[in-house]
Amino acid sequence: MTTHQPDLEQTALRGLLQAVSRHLGHDVAPEWCRAAEATPRHRFLPDRIWLSSDDDEPLTPCDREREPDRWFAAAYGDVPVVTQINDGHEPEDASDASPSSSASAPSVVFQMLELLGLAPGMRVLEIGAGTGFNAALLSHRLGDVNVTTIEIDPTVAELARSSLRANGYAPAVVCGDGSLGWSAEAPYDRVVATCSVRQVPYTWIEQTRPGGVILTPWCDDWSHCGLLRLTVGDDGGAMGRYTPDSAFILMRTQRHDLRLFRDVVMDDHVPTESTTTLDPWAVADSPIETQFALGHRLGDLWYAWHHDPDLDGVDTRLWVATTDGTSWAAVDWDGTDNTEHYTVWQHGPRRVWNEVEAAHRWWLDNGRPGPDRLGLTVTPNGQWAWLDHPTNSWPLR
């Protein structure tokens, strides 16, 4: 990089804030502009990051010393940057690289900060310290004493702590399980997660003041999209709605380690055969808004595509299974155009494809709802998804 460094950083920051403003649909608030100016993003990234040109391309390492221009461009691009793969254990095969920690896209960072509705004096618990960048922004706005960030990975936690100190910030950085929150500093006015969850840990609600807000990325076993904003009530529960957004890395303690042919489909299974008129692509290769709604009806079901499965008369197979691995279905397409019927194989105590058909009918009958019509209620006794209003709810599996 030949340009004078401070000038380059200022130019990059202005370009980034313009990109964030375009995403938000309005200028970044002055208080967050000041925080961004005092918290250069590149100072919170490790020297080695992993980049990909798109979701279908494998992650490749980018080292600051070898590729300074590429590294710096990523630091000030409005894109997420992977900062750790495979929980810190690099695989022998680069194609097996899977993100386990990252710096979120700045536009999403500032969108979430806006959704929190912060005010001076508020106390915040952040779940997932990551690079420390988000905690730095919060500390600039609220003061170190009002910010606690918790990180499950010891290496990541130490890097975040070091980066924060190097840039003049000293919030409490705790190495621990974020699903348990951090009771030592509770109660909080805001809890914000930088990882997605399948179930909202009730401890977060217990550690938030009545009237406080919990903001977390959401995913389920069917889809990976959405931000959930809950308001904590006086009754020990919380309620809120979703906004569409990009996917986040899943909280480590909520991962499933399920493999289709190791844990689910066994040689001795004897499935039943039937047919369906429901196009498998209509539920498993549909717009993310559709899959998001279906996921809230299907709960604990997940799917996987199997192309060219080496079976006579089968071009593509869609697998659907329960997260406990006890029930599964396979839907086959023979490769012909204008297919009206697909062969279905099902095994286990639940007829999971029948559940998919019922969820799709519900989606059609209710006007094809997207995330903005869905909400969630969390109580000490469970979690309920709902459509349009909390009275129209069902238990979330």
Side-chain angles (χ1 to χ4, degrees):
M1 292 180 287
T2 57
T3 308
H4 189 255
Q5 190 68 22
D7 293 340
L8 179 63
E9 292 175 11
Q10 288 299 313
T11 300
L13 177 60
R14 285 196 297 271
L16 179 58
L17 289 174
Q18 289 171 0
V20 171
S21 296
R22 287 193 295 270
H23 175 90
L24 296 175
H26 56 78
D27 290 342
V28 177
E31 60 269 23
W32 292 122
C33 284
R34 291 192 293 270
E37 290 165 357
T39 311
R41 190 183 187 223
H42 73 278
R43 296 184 188 174
F44 289 84
L45 294 184
D47 288 339
R48 168 170 276 206
I49 57 178
W50 285 263
L51 304 175
S52 175
S53 57
D54 59 55
D55 292 339
D56 296 325
E57 291 293 324
L59 291 166
T60 58
C62 173
D63 293 302
R64 183 177 190 173
E65 185 175 343
R66 290 168 149 188
E67 302 178 277
D69 292 335
R70 184 176 179 227
W71 185 94
F72 190 82
Y76 285 96
D78 189 19
V79 293
V81 175
V82 174
T83 54
Q84 185 197 67
I85 59 172
N86 298 60
D87 297 340
H89 306 287
E90 292 194 39
E92 293 183 7
D93 186 343
S95 64
D96 293 331
S98 178
S100 52
S101 189
S102 68
S104 300
S107 58
V108 177
V109 169
F110 286 98
Q111 179 185 5
M112 293 178 70
L113 291 172
E114 280 194 357
L115 287 170
L116 285 172
L118 294 168
M122 284 187 173
R123 296 173 56 78
V124 177
L125 172 64
E126 179 190 38
I127 310 298
T131 65
F133 177 66
N134 204 57
L137 295 170
L138 289 167
S139 293
H140 186 276
R141 175 79 190 280
L142 302 173
D144 295 332
V145 70
N146 290 320
V147 179
T148 299
T149 183
I150 185 166
E151 171 60 51
I152 195 169
D153 189 298
T155 301
V156 175
E158 183 53 39
L159 287 172
R161 187 180 293 112
S162 297
S163 295
L164 284 159
R165 286 175 179 167
N167 286 277
Y169 298 106
V173 180
V174 178
C175 184
D177 181 355
S179 69
L180 304 178
W182 187 245
S183 60
E185 300 294 335
Y188 303 98
D189 299 287
R190 300 290 188 266
V191 174
V192 57
T194 62
C195 55
S196 62
V197 296
R198 289 186 169 104
Q199 293 278 321
V200 177
Y202 188 69
T203 50
W204 297 357
I205 295 166
E206 291 179 310
Q207 295 174 20
T208 304
R209 299 179 191 276
V213 168
I214 296 170
L215 181 65
T216 180
W218 175 268
C219 78
D220 53 47
D221 296 293
W222 199 267
S223 66
H224 306 276
C225 167
L227 280 174
L228 174 63
R229 189 181 192 274
L230 297 168
T231 300
V232 176
D234 295 318
D235 58 356
M239 183 185 304
R241 291 180 176 270
Y242 298 93
T243 57
D245 217 280
S246 58
F248 282 69
I249 294 171
L250 180 65
M251 176 178 282
R252 293 191 189 186
T253 54
Q254 294 192 10
R255 292 175 180 170
H256 297 310
D257 182 23
L258 273 179
R259 299 183 187 179
L260 191 62
F261 297 111
R262 184 194 70 184
D263 307 310
V264 180
V265 181
M266 305 298 172
D267 290 340
D268 61 349
H269 287 175
V270 182
T272 59
E273 181 181 359
S274 60
T275 61
T276 182
T277 58
L278 177 59
D279 184 338
W281 282 270
V283 293
D285 193 30
S286 51
I288 191 63
E289 294 81 9
T290 302
Q291 295 193 53
F292 187 87
L294 294 176
H296 275 64
R297 296 295 291 187
L298 297 172
D300 61 347
L301 297 188
W302 58 281
Y303 70 85
W305 288 101
H306 193 173
H307 301 286
D308 300 321
D310 196 24
L311 295 168
D312 290 342
V314 180
D315 181 275
T316 302
R317 169 171 283 183
L318 174 66
W319 292 96
V320 178
T322 56
T323 54
D324 64 8
T326 61
S327 301
W328 58 264
V331 185
D332 291 342
W333 176 55
D334 61 10
T336 60
D337 294 335
N338 303 315
T339 301
E340 295 182 357
H341 292 84
Y342 303 85
T343 302
V344 180
W345 306 92
Q346 299 197 78
H347 173 82
R350 288 167 57 182
R351 305 288 86 179
V352 295
W353 186 251
N354 299 59
E355 294 178 25
V356 173
E357 291 179 317
H360 190 257
R361 283 195 300 273
W362 166 88
W363 180 71
L364 290 175
D365 291 345
N366 283 280
R368 305 171 185 244
D372 57 337
R373 290 181 58 193
L374 292 160
L376 188 75
T377 299
V378 184
T379 74
N381 302 315
Q383 306 194 20
W384 282 263
W386 42 268
L387 178 67
D388 295 330
H389 192 275
T391 57
N392 184 21
S393 66
W394 58 92
L396 193 66
R397 279 200 295 260

